[in-house]
Amino acid sequence: VGNYKRTVKRIDDGHRLCNDLMNCIHERARIEKGYAQQLTEWAKRWKQLVEKGPQYGTVERAWCAFMSEAEKVSELHLEVKGSLMNEDFEKIKNWQKEAFHKQMMGGFKETKEAEDGFRKAQKPWAKKLKEVEAAKKAYHAACKEEKLAISRETNSKADPALNPEQLKKLQDKVERSKQDVLKTKEKYEKSLKELDNATPQYMENMEQVFEQCQQFEEKRLRFFREVLLEVQKHLDLSNVASYKNIYRELEQNIKTADAVEDLRWFRANQGPGMSMNWPQFEEWSADLNRTLSRREKKKAADGVTLTGINQTGDQPNKHSSSLSVQSNTVQSVQSSYNPFEDEEDTGSTVSEKEDNKIKNVSSYEKNQSYPTDWSDEESNNPFSSTDANGDTNPFDEDSPPAMEVRVRALYDYEGQEQDELSFKAGDELTKMENEDEQGWCKGRLDNGQVGLYPANYVEPIQ
């Protein structure tokens, strides 16, 4: 009696399991979304780094193909997240709402109906069972009383102090206890027989209610299996045609990388085959040959480096604002920058501003400028102390620097131009040259990168 409560509790457990499954799917959807966002951020960051880095040609395109793959896979995982939340999660939520109906007093209607059905089916049999238990208790008590009366009678026969009247009372009590045993036994057997006769009907009624609960649970179990299969289909990207195409396309992009083609392109654009800008005679002009300070360069408008600018007209006119650019200079600008032109040189050179939000992982970028000054003297030879990348010359490692002092950064600084260093407060670097007129020093980071930095942003290490 009362053991049907385990079956009734299963209905409440079914509602809770719906919540658990929804939470499980929600967490997986959150993971899919986070992974998609990380892929997108990774692809965006590295795409800019590779595009601004020194890699070129078909190998650069093959490298960038990985970022395209990440973006496409990110979109697929966002679709997975959307399917999990918009389809699977909502399907469980709606099914739960339709299958379980809450009552005003708490609990669910289905739970109360099942409990009432079991209680109604069990009530007649439970009543007879209670009668059986009472008859059994009475019979056992009568048997105990009979045994006690017989024991007293037996002991009284051996006691000479008892008179015949007292002995008669004991014998009568034994007789009455035997009759009580017979009556209670008969009643016990009768109630037990009635219980046995009611048992088949009781079992039938209980099984009927139990089958109703089984059918309700079967719907939940089948529904869960259906939902889990749909979740599996949404998560399984191996059967998605677009997912396979992503990696087929990635493989093709990598295989298109051609070392010979890249070397040919580099020779044509960065080597002997590039458009040359040979020195030509230029008239002196006070306006055009004015040296720009470093602060003025930063305020200048963005643009490309122009060389060989002549004023229009036969006669120089310092008030004329119309300028023409020589044809060979335009050709040089269109094809490539001049790698032998220093932004510190005199003239109207204006450097392009760098995007300070993206840091290059390599020691130099595609558009890095190179020093133009050269001399046979060791102090001015760019190949004696540093190479084009700002690192030490591997063929002249024994030559010590002119002056090097270890300093520590007091504040964070983000380089605004290509030849400026970026560091955080507390970083240590090596000062290679003293402060110039504009308050800038030349230094080298521990990773080998050489550049300029504000002198008042560091302090010497004691």
Side-chain angles (χ1 to χ4, degrees), residues 146 148-158 162-179:
E146 180 191 21
L148 184 60
I150 293 174
S151 177
R152 287 176 180 174
E153 181 191 14
T154 303
N155 293 334
S156 65
K157 289 180 180 180
L162 291 176
N163 53 36
E165 186 177 353
Q166 292 176 333
L167 185 61
K168 175 69 174 168
K169 288 181 179 180
L170 292 176
Q171 291 175 351
D172 292 342
K173 192 168 185 180
V174 170
E175 189 66 24
R176 287 195 305 270
S177 62
K178 287 182 178 180
Q179 292 178 359

Side-chain angles (χ1 to χ4, degrees), residues 216-251:
F216 184 82
E217 179 67 7
E218 182 182 10
K219 292 180 182 179
R220 187 191 68 82
L221 294 174
R222 291 185 180 276
F223 173 74
F224 269 42
R225 181 179 183 274
E226 177 185 347
V227 171
L228 292 175
L229 282 175
E230 292 183 2
V231 171
Q232 180 267 333
K233 292 179 182 179
H234 292 151
L235 295 177
D236 186 8
L237 295 179
S238 62
N239 292 326
V240 179
S242 58
Y243 187 73
K244 296 179 181 179
N245 292 335
I246 290 175
Y247 293 98
R248 191 178 297 113
E249 182 180 348
L250 175 62
E251 181 182 6

Side-chain angles (χ1 to χ4, degrees), residues 192-204:
L192 192 59
K193 186 177 181 180
E194 291 177 355
L195 181 66
D196 291 339
N197 293 334
T199 298
Q201 183 64 37
Y202 160 68
M203 292 182 63
E204 182 180 350

